[in-house]
Amino acid sequence: MRELLSQLRDWHTAGTPFALATVVAVRGSAPRAAGAAMAVTATGVVAGSVSGGCVESDVYEVATETLTTGRPLLRTYGISDDEAFGTGLTCGGTIDVLVQPYVAPADRDALRELLDTVAAGEPVALATVVSGAARPGARRMVLAGRAGGSLGDAGLDAAVTDDARGMLAQGATGTTLYGAHGERRMQDVTVFVQAFAPAPRMLVFGAIDHAAATARIGAFLGYRVTVCDARPAFATRERFPTADEVVRAWPHTYLESTPVDARTVVCVLTHDPKFDVPLLVAALRTPAGYIGVMGSRRTHTDRLARLREAGVEEAELSRLASPVGLDLGARTPEETAVSIAAEIIQHRWGGTGRPLGELTGTIHHARARRPG
């Protein structure tokens, strides 16, 4: 849904009524994960996607219906459902889609508060009743230090608030089950919790052409991109217009002073031992989920020797993705950036990196998410 927030804000500002369809559960193989969203205005304008094209036509009709009735609707699509199969969900999985109209003033005010909170970079989770012994569509917004809105019961509010904060800390989105008053291990109420954590960071070191291409693809993938280089002539905003920030500093000094978590990816493209070695020593002390280093195999071997001399242990060295990227036969900076991005995605989700045509089984695996 994050990719729709700017569009939703524009519609909200213009006073345009719309319905928002959100994937709240996925079972088996499906083209998009829980949290994927599609919005439809009263005039028929569509933004986003819930299934990559499989069921959008039917969801469009449901959205139009909710805009007329003002009531949310839950729909299930899957290959075992003859009606849904007719709409084209042939991927083999099942998805639940909650469609909510944003017409009533209270609903629109709640949306504005969510949009403002996300825009301010404050972590927030939105809990929505999907079905069961509570009002479908009831929402509660949960932040680290406060919560607003109600799901209709104080006990349910308290239980969902606790769980939503835990999910927000992990950046997790999904459904949870409760009793009507928030009891655990009961299934009377289904609540969908969507976490809006700040965008993960991509730290690109070395202001070269490859860094410009990597910054562009990092922004495209949803990272907050920082480019860092100690050379004033190279670390300029003009050279890196898509980066969120360009920093002129010694790489290791900057890395030691900036926040890094398990979702952070570090791309070292400096090609110079006087930058590389102290930077990598610092990087390996962080919880960064991915640390990729550019260079030839000869450079890689020399770099490892220098790091060992600096006291880095073998277990730490095993964290390095070096030489950086997947083997795509890349030649240009742009192709190399695609190779780097492919490895980051593979590392994040646990893919094999092999052509899908060589594999069997489902394409959209329910893999455990890795940090980064």
Side-chain angles (χ1 to χ4, degrees):
M1 178 178 164
R2 182 180 287 274
E3 67 273 16
L4 289 182
L5 295 181
S6 176
Q7 181 66 77
L8 297 184
R9 178 177 289 279
D10 290 344
W11 288 344
H12 184 279
T13 302
T16 303
F18 61 88
L20 182 65
T22 306
V23 177
V24 296
V26 174
R27 295 177 292 282
S29 173
R32 300 207 64 191
M38 170 179 142
V40 180
T41 71
T43 57
V45 178
V46 178
S49 169
V50 293
S51 71
C54 298
V55 302
E56 267 69 10
S57 294
D58 191 72
V59 172
Y60 176 91
E61 298 299 330
V62 176
T64 301
E65 179 182 347
T66 67
L67 284 169
T68 301
T69 65
R71 296 191 299 271
L73 291 172
L74 179 67
R75 289 289 186 267
T76 298
Y77 301 94
I79 196 162
S80 61
D81 183 335
D82 292 338
E83 179 182 359
F85 184 75
T87 68
L89 187 63
T90 57
C91 303
T94 301
I95 61 174
D96 294 337
V97 179
L98 179 66
V99 186
Q100 300 171 274
Y102 282 87
V103 179
D107 293 334
R108 296 178 64 82
D109 289 346
L111 176 66
R112 185 186 66 245
E113 184 178 3
L114 174 68
L115 294 174
D116 290 345
T117 303
V118 174
E122 190 171 2
V124 57
L126 182 65
T128 306
V129 173
V130 173
S131 61
R135 180 174 64 84
R139 291 179 292 269
R140 184 167 176 81
M141 196 171 75
V142 179
L143 297 90
R146 68 184 192 278
S150 176
L151 306 181
D153 179 86
L156 181 60
D157 286 344
V160 170
T161 297
D162 286 344
D163 290 345
R165 284 186 175 136
M167 294 174 70
L168 183 59
Q170 300 174 20
T173 287
T175 55
T176 53
L177 301 174
Y178 303 92
H181 305 293
E183 298 92 340
R184 309 290 180 174
R185 296 183 297 279
M186 297 183 68
Q187 302 183 24
D188 298 328
V189 181
T190 301
V191 177
F192 175 65
V193 178
Q194 186 163 15
F196 294 91
R201 302 189 70 193
M202 173 182 280
L203 307 179
V204 181
F205 295 96
I208 61 175
D209 289 346
H210 289 82
T214 301
R216 288 196 296 272
I217 202 166
F220 177 75
L221 292 177
Y223 286 93
R224 177 174 177 81
V225 180
T226 298
V227 176
C228 176
D229 196 298
R231 301 167 296 177
F234 291 87
T236 66
R237 169 56 63 187
E238 293 74 21
R239 285 171 53 81
F240 301 96
T242 62
D244 293 283
E245 57 181 349
V246 179
V247 176
R248 298 173 185 173
W250 278 82
H252 73 281
T253 301
Y254 173 72
L255 183 60
E256 290 170 347
S257 65
T258 195
V260 174
D261 62 24
R263 300 189 303 152
T264 303
V265 302
V266 176
C267 299
V268 179
L269 314 179
T270 47
H271 282 97
D272 188 332
K274 71 175 178 290
F275 293 115
D276 287 359
V277 173
L279 172 58
L280 290 173
V281 170
L284 290 169
R285 292 171 180 163
T286 72
Y290 172 90
I291 305 172
V293 195
M294 180 174 282
S296 66
R297 298 192 185 282
R298 178 180 296 179
T299 299
H300 171 67
T301 299
D302 177 71
R303 183 187 295 125
L304 291 180
R306 292 174 183 269
L307 289 170
R308 290 186 181 103
E309 290 176 4
V312 178
E313 298 182 356
E314 296 301 317
E316 296 174 306
L317 293 176
S318 67
R319 294 178 59 198
L320 297 179
S322 176
V324 69
L326 297 185
D327 178 19
L328 304 182
R331 293 292 184 270
T332 67
E334 290 74 18
E335 290 175 347
T336 301
V338 171
S339 168
I340 294 171
E343 185 173 52
I344 290 171
I345 295 169
Q346 178 205 22
H347 184 82
R348 181 180 185 183
W349 297 108
T352 66
R354 294 173 55 196
L356 289 171
E358 294 180 358
L359 303 175
T360 59
T362 58
I363 292 175
H364 305 285
H365 293 282
R367 298 188 183 97
R369 183 184 183 280
R370 295 184 180 183

